Structure formats: structure tokens, C-alpha cells
Amino acid sequence: MGLQSFPQDFRAAVWGASGGIGAAFVKHLSEDPACGEIVALSRRPLEGDARSITYDPASESSIQKAAEEAAAGQPLHLVIVATGTLHGEGYSPEKALRQLTGDAFLEVMRINALLPALIAKASVNHLDKERSVFAALSARVGSISDNRLGGWHSYRASKAALNMLLRNIAIEVARKNRNAVIAGIHPGTVDTSLSEPFQGNVPEGKLFTPEYSTGEMLKVLDSLQPEQSGNCFDYSGKRIEF
């Protein structure tokens, strides 16, 4: 069964469509008979049924141009930002404060918080006025009230910042588009290259395939109402406290 809350032939855009989670979102949407068009945005061209658009995530003008090309003068009903980083060249989650470096912190913050905010800046004016959802991948470890273990300073801080940005964006968007939903969505621990180095401590049954996680997240996004805008939810639909 496909998404039920969006109109027939709804239009969807997935940013970060070349990643494990992004590609799975595109696959699910391509199999939904109600989805009229899927736009897959990534750093490199993609093959498949979706309309592929490339953009430079380090360039605000490139993001703006890509968003306008994705909308193509028509409203978008579902925009998903599936970008993010946890580790990369020269950085990984810090286990202690002594491991924190300025360069790594700024890079993680740029990718996990600033990039989704710039995508939102370029996209929210294209959201449909009757029913639309803008969602960005967040994480439970971005919750300040739920933090009992510490560590992972850059990643935690970037997701907490993302949650605040999404709340701000939701408040602003509601003034002009009261039917839009802006939300963070937590995918759980998904078997992708992002989580691969850290899968050893995942409880049995809690390491999800991209197909399963994105399918559950789409169910949650399908169910969200405007009064829930500005919040963060996990893959089961449970609200995550800030």
C-alpha cells in the first residue's frame, strides 16, 4: 500500500538520493502508484525512473538552482533530505572531549545542520498549500533530554542544531502555509556505510535494512498533521523529546 494522505500523482523530491537511505526512499516512491513524479537529487547523476538532478552540497547557489529545477514551477508534496555524515576522512565520533577538533566539528555541523537548512530555505516556498511534508533525517542522539552517555560531541550537537532549525523553519512556514509539515525523522540504526563501523553494539533485531527503515519512515510521514510540525519522530512514529 502506498502513501494515502497525498493527492494522486503527488510529486516528491529526495535529496541525498545516492546514499543507502536516500536510494531506498526513491525505490519506495517509485513503486507507489500514487506518486506521479520523483526527483532524485545528488552529487552525481543517477540512473532509474526518477528525474535526476545534480547539485554541489557545498554551494548555496547550486542548492537553490537544484531546488528550482526540482519544483519546475509546480508544487512539491513531499521533500525528504536524506543527507548526513557520522564519520569521514580525518574524523569520527569523539569518545572523549580531548578528541574534539574544530575542523571536524565544523564539517559535521555543515553537513548535518547547515545543509538541510539551506535545502529547506530553497525548497519550502515550493511546498503544496493543501498537503505537504518536508522532512530531514535526524537522530535520537540529538536529544538533549535523552542524553545519558555523553560523547559523540560533534554528531550530537549537529543533530540537536538540526532539530532547532527544523522547529524554527516550521514556525516560519506555518505563517504562509498552514498545511505544511516540517519534521525531523529518526531512521534507527540502518545497515549503511554511515553506521558500518559502529554496528557491533547494536541489539539483535535493531539493525534495519534501508528498505525496512525507509518504508517505516514513509508511513510516519504519511500520518503527520500540521499540528505536529516542528517536531522530531522516530521510525515507529514516536515523538523524540528535544
Side-chain angles (χ1 to χ4, degrees):
M1 182 181 298
L3 304 185
Q4 302 295 303
S5 69
F6 297 96
Q8 185 66 33
D9 295 326
F10 73 88
R11 304 178 70 233
V14 178
W15 295 75
S18 62
I21 292 178
F25 271 125
V26 171
K27 183 176 185 296
H28 274 293
L29 291 166
S30 68
E31 295 171 351
D32 188 336
C35 188
E37 183 183 28
I38 310 158
V39 183
L41 300 105
S42 61
R43 286 177 289 185
R44 55 180 174 82
L46 300 175
E47 297 181 355
D49 296 330
R51 179 160 61 95
S52 177
I53 296 175
T54 59
Y55 74 102
D56 179 0
S59 167
E60 185 173 352
S61 62
S62 177
I63 294 167
Q64 181 68 43
K65 182 180 177 181
E68 292 173 357
E69 188 176 346
Q74 299 294 322
L76 291 168
H77 301 89
L78 177 62
V79 178
I80 299 174
V81 182
T83 59
T85 188
L86 178 57
H87 58 90
E89 186 176 350
Y91 66 92
S92 61
E94 311 92 347
K95 295 182 179 179
L97 187 60
R98 64 179 179 275
Q99 297 173 329
L100 181 69
T101 67
D103 288 345
F105 181 89
L106 291 175
E107 179 66 1
V108 173
M109 190 67 72
R110 181 186 71 81
I111 296 172
N112 287 349
L114 178 60
L115 176 57
L118 291 177
I119 293 173
K121 176 186 174 183
S123 300
V124 293
N125 287 338
H126 299 295
L127 293 176
D128 185 73
K129 294 296 181 67
E130 297 299 322
R131 167 65 176 164
S132 55
V133 175
F134 177 97
L137 291 185
S138 189
R140 191 181 302 279
V141 296
S143 169
I144 295 174
S145 60
D146 189 58
N147 185 358
R148 301 289 185 272
L149 298 175
W152 289 35
H153 302 294
S154 300
Y155 188 72
R156 285 184 185 273
S158 69
K159 292 300 185 178
L162 172 63
N163 291 341
M164 176 60 81
L165 286 163
L166 291 171
R167 173 62 67 86
N168 277 353
I169 293 165
I171 293 170
E172 183 172 335
V173 167
R175 295 173 184 144
K176 294 184 178 180
N177 187 350
R178 59 187 179 86
N179 291 319
V181 177
I182 311 296
I185 187 79
H186 167 59
T189 303
V190 184
D191 188 10
T192 64
S193 58
L194 183 143
S195 70
E196 186 176 2
F198 312 100
Q199 293 177 4
N201 296 324
V202 179
E204 186 175 353
K206 291 298 184 179
L207 179 62
F208 303 144
T209 65
E211 292 73 21
Y212 174 81
S213 174
T214 52
E216 295 303 295
M217 286 190 285
L218 283 171
K219 293 177 186 176
V220 175
L221 299 181
D222 195 28
S223 71
L224 294 181
Q225 299 301 312
E227 57 268 23
Q228 297 172 291
S229 189
N231 291 301
C232 183
F233 303 87
D234 71 10
Y235 56 88
S236 71
K238 182 178 180 182
R239 180 183 169 189
I240 297 174
E241 297 296 330
F242 294 146

